[in-house]
Amino acid sequence: MHKRITLSFAVIAVLTIVLGSPFAIVAQTPPHYDLLLKGGHVIDPANHIDEVRDVAVLQGKIAAVEKNIPADQAGKVVDVSKLYVTPGFIDIHYHVGHGGAPLNWFTPEARAHALPLGIPADMALQSGVTTIVDAGTAGAETFLEEKEEVIDRAKVRVLAFLNIVANGMGGGLEGSLDQMDSRLCAATITRYRDIIVGVKTAHYWTKEPWDAEHVPWAAVDRAIECGTLANVPVMYDFWPRPDRTYEDLLKKMRPGDIHTHVFAQQFPIILADGKINPALAEARARGVIFDVGHGAGSFWFRSAVPAFKQGFIPDSISTDLHTGDYNVLSMDNVMSKFLAMGAPLDDVIRRSTVNPAAEIHRPELGTLSVGKDADIAVLELIKGHFSYIDCGVAKMDANERLVGRMTIRAGRILYDPAGLSMVDWEKARPQYFSSPERGDSLPARADDYPRD
Ligand SMILES: [Zn+2]
């Protein structure tokens, strides 16, 4: 068998020399793409692209990002001129699933009756997001439920930080030390390493008096222990107290660890003299990561604007969307706030794509590199009069708004509410006008492009 294969290669080699390369014949055939986004302004910070280019997709992957790809080379062509085309956004602070769930839910002795914390994962697609990272809604005990009910069924890619609290977030057990088993946490991460990218600590003993069990750093220390055992970053939601200062937290954080909610009211980002706290620069120099995690209670312009003016911008932009959060609305809303403060568009895109990809150690995400999954956002930058709000019920006026217009995940058009990729209904093919009479009837759709 081995000899026969060797012989076959020898024959091909001889024929190649005599007749010319068979691959040359393949190269002469026009390449055929499934989808071509034509005429958009491509911003792909990972590849230093910031100009008008066409983007071609084949079999769910990015196939070409070039100038003037002929329209006849693609099965479907979408005119995206006057729009921006970027890698799909990565929102590393999102909440899906139930969260801390009581055992024996329907019995009187259930230990809590918390409402669900998470929102539908696929809502993220409405603002150009193709990857969300659940920020510790589930812990070791509740992760499998979240995975089977939400993560495995979502169209958007869902990754997760695992809560150091085994029961997860919001179920009433976030102050229970017996819930913070760093070995169980690390074992769960190891088992689901394809999904879990880090550890989360949050909401630990924010105002109750300390006692023998509840010492100031218990939750943070155990999260770091789990992160070290599993070799993943820790994401911190934190509340400083006199015995547990902000500066001490920043010193405890390891390089690559992520401080989310950086512009929340409880952090002394801006000191009394109006200068930015030097502890931030010291932490950043050691490799500590700063993330927005806007949420219902973690973004104040009074911190964000002076910090921005002094050159401090968080490494990643994220929403912290959950069921208590409908004023934040979306990733494009949070990104628009940074445009309003004066950040250039390409920088805002960088902090929503390649940066968060690096933070969660998934460098294959957040780019339009050829061969990677075709996760693409098509965006419009609208000029006009807009206002953006913070969590202190104050607002900022602005003249731009970034809006997600179309979202593509692995080559599938999952969000296109204005029909950029669709034909006028009157020009649709005949089967669109038919009512399906039998199970095997052709679908009454204007095209066959995958959209779900
Ligand atoms: Zn959160």
Side-chain angles (χ1 to χ4, degrees):
M1 191 61 165
H2 182 253
K3 265 186 189 163
R4 210 173 288 164
I5 290 169
T6 313
L7 187 64
S8 305
F9 275 122
V11 169
I12 288 169
V14 169
L15 287 175
T16 301
I17 292 160
V18 174
L19 302 171
S21 167
F23 301 109
I25 297 163
V26 174
Q28 281 160 12
T29 314
H32 184 84
Y33 304 121
D34 298 327
L35 175 67
L36 181 59
L37 303 177
K38 204 143 179 49
H41 184 130
V42 175
I43 300 179
D44 179 12
N47 290 307
H48 311 287
I49 299 172
D50 188 352
E51 62 178 10
V52 173
R53 296 243 187 134
D54 297 342
V55 177
V57 172
L58 179 63
Q59 293 176 350
K61 307 284 183 189
I62 301 289
V65 181
E66 307 286 347
K67 290 178 184 169
N68 302 317
I69 299 174
D72 62 6
Q73 292 193 359
K76 174 169 280 297
V77 180
V78 182
D79 177 5
V80 291
S81 51
K82 301 195 177 113
L83 300 173
Y84 287 93
V85 178
T86 73
F89 301 139
I90 303 170
D91 184 352
I92 64 159
H93 194 143
Y94 199 97
H95 290 281
V96 297
H98 192 284
L103 299 177
N104 311 315
W105 178 275
F106 296 106
T107 65
E109 54 275 12
R111 57 194 181 193
H113 282 98
L115 294 170
L117 191 66
I119 64 168
D122 291 336
M123 276 180 65
L125 294 163
Q126 296 179 346
S127 54
V129 175
T130 51
T131 299
I132 58 175
V133 188
D134 178 69
T137 313
E141 273 178 12
T142 45
F143 179 74
L144 186 60
E145 184 187 29
E146 179 174 299
K147 178 182 179 296
E148 293 191 343
E149 286 187 359
V150 180
I151 298 175
D152 292 348
R153 296 162 192 257
K155 294 170 188 169
V156 67
R157 180 188 292 102
V158 186
L159 304 172
F161 288 92
L162 191 73
N163 204 308
I164 184 62
V165 175
N167 182 249
M169 193 173 284
L173 298 178
E174 287 170 279
S176 304
L177 271 288
D178 62 358
Q179 280 280 315
M180 302 176 197
D181 180 339
S182 50
R183 290 188 180 280
L184 175 64
C185 170
T188 309
I189 293 172
T190 303
R191 182 164 177 193
Y192 298 106
R193 221 172 253 289
D194 53 331
I195 301 172
I196 304 178
V197 298
V199 189
K200 175 82 185 290
T201 173
H203 312 152
Y204 170 68
W205 230 246
T206 55
K207 52 178 185 274
E208 305 87 343
W210 306 118
D211 57 34
E213 184 189 8
H214 299 101
V215 293
W217 295 101
V220 163
D221 285 343
R222 294 199 187 186
I224 292 175
E225 222 170 80
C226 172
T228 304
L229 283 170
N231 194 25
V232 292
V234 176
M235 176 185 267
Y236 303 80
D237 165 312
F238 183 79
W239 197 279
R241 299 175 62 162
D243 300 339
R244 187 175 72 185
T245 69
Y246 183 51
E247 289 74 13
D248 283 342
L249 173 74
L250 292 175
K251 282 188 193 131
K252 268 182 175 281
M253 289 177 70
R254 307 166 305 160
D257 280 354
I258 303 163
H259 169 5
T260 191
H261 302 317
V262 62
F263 295 137
Q265 59 180 324
Q266 68 266 31
F267 299 127
I269 301 293
I270 304 300
L271 302 179
D273 62 1
K275 296 264 168 59
I276 191 161
N277 189 333
L280 273 78
E282 285 160 25
R284 189 169 251 181
R286 286 197 307 111
V288 165
I289 307 289
F290 294 89
D291 175 62
V292 175
H294 187 304
S298 300
F299 186 89
W300 264 255
F301 283 126
R302 68 162 160 82
S303 287
V305 173
F308 180 84
K309 283 185 176 157
Q310 293 174 60
F312 177 88
I313 314 179
D315 300 281
S316 49
I317 295 173
S318 63
T319 60
D320 186 22
L321 282 169
H322 56 78
T323 43
D325 231 15
Y326 287 109
N327 264 328
V328 179
L329 295 171
S330 61
M331 184 74 168
D332 49 10
N333 178 279
V334 180
M335 292 167 76
S336 294
K337 290 181 195 188
F338 283 84
L339 295 176
M341 286 189 275
L345 180 61
D346 64 328
D347 192 56
V348 170
I349 301 295
R350 171 185 297 279
R351 290 168 205 275
S352 310
T353 55
V354 63
N355 282 14
E359 291 168 22
I360 58 171
H361 301 169
R362 298 288 173 119
E364 72 277 15
L365 304 179
T367 92
L368 297 177
S369 298
V370 170
K372 303 298 184 214
D373 276 3
D375 292 358
I376 306 169
V378 176
L379 310 155
E380 184 170 4
L381 189 62
I382 307 173
K383 307 282 181 188
H385 297 292
F386 304 101
S387 294
Y388 299 102
I389 62 169
D390 71 8
C391 304
V393 296
K395 72 170 179 176
M396 170 187 273
D397 292 331
N399 54 22
E400 280 182 334
R401 184 176 163 203
L402 189 66
V403 182
R405 288 297 184 218
M406 181 162 80
T407 307
I408 297 164
R409 162 83 185 99
R412 308 174 89 82
I413 300 174
L414 296 185
Y415 180 72
D416 183 15
L420 294 180
S421 65
M422 301 176 197
V423 295
D424 187 276
W425 73 272
E426 289 175 302
K427 293 175 187 157
R429 63 186 178 180
Q431 74 192 60
Y432 165 85
F433 295 93
S434 66
S435 299
E437 288 164 10
R438 297 165 16 160
D440 59 354
S441 296
L442 290 170
R445 295 175 69 146
D447 69 36
D448 294 321
Y449 196 86
R451 296 174 185 277
D452 44 37

